[in-house]
Amino acid sequence: MKLIKSTITALGLLFTVTACAGNKESKNQNMKGENMEIVHLTKAEFLKKVYNYEANPNDWKYEGDKPTIVDFYATWCGPCKALAPVLEELAKEYAGKVYIYKIDVDKEEELAGAFGIRSIPTLLWIPQSGKPTVTQGALPKPELKKMIDDTLLNSK
């Protein structure tokens, strides 16, 4: 009887873990799909998609093919939480024109340190050509749109 209970418990646990893994997988597919415009980056992805500061420590060389906003944030940060839905709206509005990336400073401490991030949220504005600029704090949507139009898209 104990063997049957143990087997049933183990199978139940296996099904639960498998179901959760399936949900995680489908979530990851949505993040890579067309509807998911905001992408969470690791240091390795940042080096490939944005700027390889290890290979080019003295020269800024943007690796992307569209202007980019990089949001340095933390999950516990109130202003970061307030900014997140605004960035999601902007990602939809500017889909195909601008990339919006997010970097969790707690998970990517080395990357945050490389850019001297001391306050969050910090946004790194990267035009297709030229040097990036930095803003700090949760700016309102109209100001963010103006920055995208003027700084990234040059559509004054």
Side-chain angles (χ1 to χ4, degrees), residues 49-71:
K49 294 181 178 186
V50 181
Y51 169 51
N52 189 338
Y53 58 87
E54 293 177 336
N56 302 305
N58 299 320
D59 295 319
W60 173 262
K61 182 181 179 299
Y62 177 51
E63 302 292 339
D65 60 354
K66 291 182 185 116
T68 298
I69 301 169
V70 179
D71 174 24

Side-chain angles (χ1 to χ4, degrees), residues 22-41:
N23 289 340
K24 184 177 180 183
E25 188 63 35
S26 64
K27 184 177 179 182
N28 285 339
Q29 288 174 349
N30 287 340
M31 293 175 91
K32 294 176 186 174
E34 293 177 22
N35 294 333
M36 188 66 188
E37 290 86 5
I38 293 181
V39 177
H40 294 260
L41 295 182

